[in-house]
Amino acid sequence: MPDDNDIRIAGDHPSRERPEENILDHTAQELEREKRNGNLERARQLGALVAGEMWASDSESLFGADAAEGGQGLFERRLLYAFAASTGLERYTPNQLCARTALSSFYDVLKKEAPDLYDQLENSFAFSFYYLDLRRGQRVPADIGKSFAMLCNREDDPVYARLGEALYLRFLDVIEAQAKSLHFVVEPGGDQ
């Protein structure tokens, strides 16, 4: 016959019984903290800055461009910039909530201000190549450069591979500088 010590009362270990409640509670606390300290607004601003840089007529995506690249080259540069935005916004914001907010803002601004470019991004498969390069994780910038060259139909051109690598690194530097200029707050208890 069991004694009273063998009986477990519901609620003794709520984290074991209802983990989804703990996750929701943590997410709500994180959301409130990031709203209060201004990081969500900073993330929205960062996404808009990064998007504005992408489609501006004097944008970073045009850095070092020449007429020989043509329209396809410009398009591939912008795709690479968008990929750098997705990785850079995650890297240079204090947590996943801010990263998701910044990326959402990035795409919202593109959709509104450059709808043709937004549609082209949605229909491109270039991100698949770049994500594979990222997941391999060995020589990410060099591999991304090779994918860039291939997407530009210049897979045998080492100059294009180095160009893609240099552009990716430059785009990340630009995004990092933009993030630093917004002075995100990093609080104890945050993701990082």
Side-chain angles (χ1 to χ4, degrees), residues 1 9 54 63 91 111 124 145 148:
M1 171 178 250
I9 298 173
M54 182 178 167
F63 178 75
R91 184 181 297 178
K111 190 174 186 177
S124 174
F148 174 79

Side-chain angles (χ1 to χ4, degrees), residues 113-174:
E113 301 295 330
D116 292 338
L117 180 57
Y118 176 84
D119 290 342
Q120 290 175 324
L121 286 173
E122 270 202 329
N123 295 320
S124 174
F125 56 89
F127 274 32
S128 299
F129 291 104
Y130 295 141
Y131 275 116
L132 284 173
D133 296 332
L134 187 67
R135 284 191 176 85
R136 278 189 220 117
Q138 295 170 4
R139 299 178 32 220
V140 174
D143 290 343
I144 284 175
K146 288 178 185 175
S147 291
F148 174 79
M150 186 252 329
L151 291 164
C152 290
N153 296 318
R154 305 269 185 122
E155 54 269 335
D156 297 325
D157 189 341
V159 171
Y160 261 76
R162 285 193 304 275
L163 173 65
E165 178 180 0
L167 287 171
Y168 177 67
L169 293 172
R170 180 169 177 91
F171 297 158
L172 287 177
D173 286 345
V174 167

Side-chain angles (χ1 to χ4, degrees), residues 94-107:
N95 54 52
Q96 287 295 312
L97 180 60
C98 289
R100 287 190 303 267
T101 301
L103 195 57
S104 178
S105 175
F106 172 80
Y107 283 116

Side-chain angles (χ1 to χ4, degrees), residues 20 35 53 61 63 71 73 83 108 120 126-127 137 148 163 173 185:
E20 67 276 357
K35 276 184 186 178
E53 182 59 43
S61 62
F63 178 75
F83 178 76
D108 287 348
Q120 290 175 324
F127 274 32
F148 174 79
L163 173 65
D173 286 345
V185 176

